[in-house]
């Protein structure tokens, strides 16, 4: 994708920027590497400098003309490299991983992202945390894999962009008018859309006060054989992704709904990114797949596969707003906040399948990771009254291994040891054997009694 749209904040970027105010928490994306051999600090310093030249180190600058969208401009990351000297052992691993994701990276600060490493066993664990408003998961992979300064305007383009805010504002108005004509026609014929819009407008106003403290999700990471996963999915008439979606739904059926028959919404992030040159911070839409509640299901995956395929086919590049996106950008904050489509936070569970980790991600800081994991976390946590989300799962393949990262509200899933056992039970029900990510001995996990 070329053009100024790449360098202007879109609706998803703006929503994630304000999530701290509207939801009481910020979304953080974390990539974790497990290296079998030590990673020199000098290699990590080189990676820090390289990342600082790329798309992760930029800030949102206001436009000079009302109506123009904000733009991304190059900036310097004020968060230094963090390295620990003392080797991690046992339950310290989970604490260290959580410490990295909890480190403050607030909107508007110079701390843009955080790279950290600590010795573990014969090698190292490495963590990179980035606020979601700055980059989505696939965008983060592209930023890591790029070995040339990228994700920012070509030389001299920034000055030209600074003078184009008037053109941007006029273009937004023109696009809003054109899009609104089609949208109005649809509104007149679609009663469900009208009802959805009325409901959203009734809720317009300041953010509701929280009734309880944010819940920081507990987390567990498991590793499985990729070939076995594919085989079990085919045996049940499904795919890698449909098996993953059904697993996510089962965790909610068993531990959140306790077998109650209410339907479950599984949030499925769909990428809208057009290759590595697409400089958008967030190029995705989260669509809800409604599946039956009730008892857990470990049988036929054909229904889940077909309904997921149909949902994604119908979704396409639909906006995350309830009005045309150019019009949405022109609305006052109060109305814009009300007229956004329900996203990941308003589903019961999110199932994010990131496919295969790119080679440029697996090979990092001069070494080759034997496994890579990715998770998204709310910091300081999810406020139950403000968000429906109760669990989030990420799936990533590295070589012949699948890595599943699960996070869940402790009210339902308990501590990390309990969450891992819940995951293990779900895998076993499908005939799969899991290994804890930070101990590859099958059937054991440091700090967790089995």
């Amino acid at each position: 994708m070329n053009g100024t749209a790449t360098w202007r904040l879109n609706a998803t970027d703006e929503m994630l920027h304000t999530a701290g105010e509207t939801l009481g928490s910020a979304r953080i994306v974390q990539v974790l590497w497990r290296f079998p051999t030590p990673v020199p600090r000098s290699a990590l310093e080189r990676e820090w400098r390289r990342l600082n030249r790329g798309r992760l180190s930029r800030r949102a600058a206001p436009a000079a003309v009302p109506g123009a969208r904000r733009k991304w401009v190059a900036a310097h990351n004020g968060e230094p490299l963090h390295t620990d000297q003392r080797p991690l052992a046992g339950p310290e691993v989970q604490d260290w991983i959580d410490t990295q994701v909890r480190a403050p990276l607030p909107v508007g600060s110079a701390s843009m992202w955080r790279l950290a490493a600590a010795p573990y066993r014969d090698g190292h664990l490495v963590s990179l945390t980035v606020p979601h408003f700055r980059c989505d998961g696939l965008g983060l992979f592209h930023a890591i894999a790029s070995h040339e300064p990228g994700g920012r305007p070509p030389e001299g383009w920034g000055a030209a962009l600074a003078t184009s805010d008037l053109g941007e504002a006029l273009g937004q108005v023109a696009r809003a008018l054109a899009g609104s004509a089609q949208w109005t026609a649809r509104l007149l014929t679609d009663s469900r859309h009208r009802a959805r819009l009325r409901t959203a407008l009734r809720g317009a106003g300041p953010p509701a006060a929280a009734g309880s403290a944010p819940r920081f999700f507990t987390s567990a990471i498991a590793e499985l054989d990729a070939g076995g996963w594919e085989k079990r999915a085919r045996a049940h008439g499904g795919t890698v992704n449909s098996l993953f979606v059904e697993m996510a739904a089962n965790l909610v059926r068993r531990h959140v709904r306790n077998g109650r028959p209410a339907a479950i919404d599984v949030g499925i992030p769909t990428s809208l990114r057009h290759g590595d040159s697409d400089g958008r911070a967030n190029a995705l839409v989260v669509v809800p797949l409604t599946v039956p509640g009730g008892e857990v299901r470990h049988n036929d995956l054909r229904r889940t596969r077909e309904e997921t395929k149909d949902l994604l086919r119908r979704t396409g590049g639909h906006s995350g707003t309830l009005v045309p996106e150019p019009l949405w950008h022109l609305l006052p904050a109060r109305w814009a906040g009300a007229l956004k489509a329900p996203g990941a936070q308003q589903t019961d569970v999110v199932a994010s399948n990131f496919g295969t980790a790119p080679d440029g991600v697996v090979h990092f800081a001069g070494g080759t990771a034997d496994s890579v994991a990715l998770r998204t976390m709310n910091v300081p946590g999810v406020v139950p009254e403000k968000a429906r989300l109760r669990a989030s799962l990420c799936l990533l393949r590295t070589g012949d291994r699948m890595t599943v990262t699960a996070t869940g509200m402790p009210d339902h899933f308990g501590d990390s040891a309990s969450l891992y056992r819940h995951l293990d039970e779900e895998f076993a029900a499908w005939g799969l054997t899991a290994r804890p990510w930070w101990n590859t001995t099958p059937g054991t996990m440091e700090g967790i009694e089995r």
Side-chain angles (χ1 to χ4, degrees):
M1 169 176 274
N2 297 315
T4 59
T6 297
W7 311 107
R8 300 281 179 173
L9 273 71
N10 59 38
T12 303
D13 301 338
E14 295 289 5
M15 292 173 194
L16 289 166
H17 261 86
T18 60
E21 297 176 5
T22 58
L23 294 173
S25 66
R27 196 80 168 155
I28 302 292
V29 184
Q30 182 177 34
V31 178
L32 295 163
W33 291 265
R34 190 184 68 209
F35 288 96
T37 56
V39 181
R41 181 179 171 88
S42 58
L44 291 167
E45 289 172 341
R46 284 194 298 272
E47 292 289 17
W48 189 99
R49 291 192 294 270
R50 180 177 66 83
L51 292 173
N52 194 41
R53 296 192 300 269
R55 69 178 64 174
L56 299 185
S57 288
R58 55 186 189 176
R59 61 180 178 83
V65 177
R69 291 171 295 172
R70 294 197 296 168
K71 55 201 172 191
W72 293 109
V73 297
H76 175 77
N77 180 31
E79 185 74 15
L81 171 67
H82 298 267
T83 57
D84 293 312
Q85 300 303 316
R86 188 173 66 85
L88 300 171
E92 293 177 327
V93 175
Q94 184 66 62
D95 292 341
W96 183 84
I97 290 173
D98 285 345
T99 295
Q100 306 316 309
V101 83
R102 280 176 144 151
L105 298 170
V107 174
S109 77
S111 295
M112 299 186 179
W113 45 271
R114 178 182 173 95
L115 182 64
Y120 175 66
R121 291 181 171 261
D122 295 328
H124 263 85
L125 293 183
V126 176
S127 164
L128 175 63
T129 53
V130 181
H132 208 316
F133 68 77
R134 201 173 296 287
C135 207
D136 60 27
L138 290 181
L140 181 52
F141 280 167
H142 294 155
I144 294 169
S146 174
H147 285 268
E148 295 293 334
R152 46 172 84 190
E155 194 71 27
W157 188 88
L161 177 62
T163 63
S164 69
D165 286 348
L166 178 59
E168 156 68 12
L170 293 173
Q172 280 291 97
V173 172
R175 289 188 292 270
L177 291 173
S180 296
Q182 296 178 344
W183 174 76
T184 302
R186 177 190 169 196
L187 196 63
L188 293 173
T189 59
D190 190 335
S191 59
R192 289 181 300 178
H193 190 61
R194 289 198 303 272
R196 192 180 183 192
L197 192 64
R198 283 195 298 268
T199 300
L201 290 173
R202 281 197 296 267
S212 59
R215 311 289 205 276
F216 183 76
F217 280 16
T218 53
S219 184
I221 310 177
E223 197 170 67
L224 303 93
D225 175 68
W229 185 297
E230 293 170 339
K231 181 178 179 181
R232 299 310 299 160
R234 288 194 301 270
H236 289 277
T239 60
V240 166
N241 192 60
S242 55
L243 176 55
F244 179 53
V245 169
E246 200 64 42
M247 288 176 174
N250 276 339
L251 287 177
V252 175
R253 290 179 180 123
R254 185 190 297 273
H255 301 288
V256 179
R257 297 292 175 79
N258 297 315
R260 293 192 298 274
I264 295 167
D265 283 339
V266 181
I268 301 178
T270 304
S271 177
L272 308 177
R273 194 170 293 280
H274 300 292
D276 293 356
S277 62
D278 189 332
R280 287 178 291 178
N282 287 275
L284 56 80
V285 60
V286 177
V287 293
L289 175 70
T290 302
V291 299
E295 298 301 319
V296 296
R297 298 167 177 238
H298 299 111
N299 40 40
D300 195 350
L301 290 171
R302 283 176 293 186
R303 175 177 174 176
T304 304
R305 181 193 67 199
E306 292 303 323
E307 290 184 352
T308 302
K309 185 186 299 184
D310 180 63
L311 176 68
L312 297 180
R313 183 169 52 245
R314 287 187 286 108
T315 299
H318 289 184
S319 173
T321 59
L322 299 181
V323 297
E325 191 168 314
L327 174 61
W328 184 88
H329 281 283
L330 300 175
L331 295 174
R334 175 185 176 186
W335 301 109
L339 293 172
K340 59 186 180 183
Q345 303 300 307
Q346 300 308 324
T347 60
D348 297 291
V349 59
V350 174
S352 303
N353 182 357
F354 289 92
T356 301
D359 287 342
V361 173
V362 178
H363 303 293
F364 185 76
T368 302
D370 59 18
S371 187
V372 180
L374 185 147
R375 67 175 184 167
T376 55
M377 293 286 287
N378 281 72
V379 180
V382 168
V383 179
E385 296 82 9
K386 289 192 172 187
R388 185 175 162 193
L389 187 68
R390 294 298 180 265
S392 179
L393 283 78
C394 295
L395 177 66
L396 182 65
R397 178 167 182 164
T398 306
D400 60 357
R401 297 167 177 168
M402 293 289 199
T403 302
V404 176
T405 304
T407 62
M409 188 171 284
D411 307 50
H412 304 288
F413 297 97
D415 62 11
S416 293
S418 296
L419 177 55
Y420 185 86
R421 284 193 290 269
H422 299 328
L423 266 185
D424 201 25
E425 290 167 0
E426 179 63 21
F427 296 142
W430 293 100
L432 297 171
T433 301
R435 301 180 295 270
W437 190 72
W438 57 78
N439 184 343
T440 56
T441 303
T444 66
M445 185 171 185
E446 294 174 322
I448 292 183
E449 295 180 2
R450 302 292 297 260

